[in-house]
Amino acid sequence: MDLFLFRTHFKAGTNGMLFHKQHFICFCVELPWRCNVADISCIPDGVYELECCYSLEFGHHIRILNVPDRCGILFRSMPNLGEVSPGTIVPVVRLEGISKGSGSKEALHRLLMRMEAGRSNGKSFFLTIESVHGGR
């Protein structure tokens, strides 16, 4: 199963749209692009394997595997989205500005349900990320 994240980088953050088979799933918000520096940058464009996980700290979430020079990158919800946490792609239902949105729990649920539906065929999940720079 393949997911596609099309992002626009801005100075203050990164906004994206997540699709599966050309069907819109949700928006995503991330840190700005700062050359893949840990804790201050979103991850680089590329193709990444995904893994559904559960932890007491984050509940249900998705790990993004094999990110160059990074570890622990997650798709996870953030109920009080004031600032995006490092190492996180936050799915949201509504964009409310650059790197700001709401409805994170609902958006993550949509994504997890889409992945659960695709799990029955036993194939791995992959995320392709492509970006443009917005200049603002």
Side-chain angles (χ1 to χ4, degrees):
M1 181 175 141
D2 294 320
L3 298 170
F4 296 91
L5 177 58
F6 299 100
R7 309 185 297 190
T8 302
H9 297 296
F10 303 97
K11 290 178 185 174
T14 301
N15 290 351
M17 296 183 297
L18 186 66
F19 293 88
H20 173 247
K21 293 185 178 179
Q22 299 179 336
H23 294 276
F24 177 76
I25 299 172
C26 62
F27 295 104
C28 294
V29 296
E30 303 173 68
L31 293 172
W33 175 245
R34 293 189 176 133
C35 300
N36 197 33
V37 176
D39 297 332
I40 64 167
S41 178
C42 60
I43 64 174
D45 290 359
V47 179
Y48 303 102
E49 189 170 0
L50 302 175
E51 176 181 63
C52 292
C53 299
Y54 180 85
S55 72
L56 292 176
E57 183 179 4
F58 300 125
H60 292 284
H61 59 280
I62 301 163
R63 288 194 325 166
I64 303 170
L65 305 175
N66 302 317
V67 177
D69 302 318
R70 304 282 286 279
C71 63
I73 307 297
L74 305 176
F75 265 107
R76 69 177 183 95
S77 68
M78 293 187 66
N80 300 317
L81 188 60
E83 288 188 21
V84 177
S85 291
T88 304
I89 298 176
V90 181
V92 295
V93 173
R94 291 169 296 284
L95 283 177
E96 297 177 349
I98 295 173
S99 202
K100 296 188 185 323
S102 61
S104 179
K105 190 171 184 177
E106 179 184 340
L108 180 63
H109 179 75
R110 285 183 195 173
L111 175 55
L112 289 167
M113 290 300 100
R114 182 69 65 133
M115 290 179 73
E116 185 64 31
R119 184 186 308 245
S120 61
N121 63 18
K123 292 185 179 179
S124 296
F125 300 102
F126 290 92
L127 171 68
T128 299
I129 300 175
E130 295 181 7
S131 301
V132 296
H133 292 271
R136 294 190 330 183

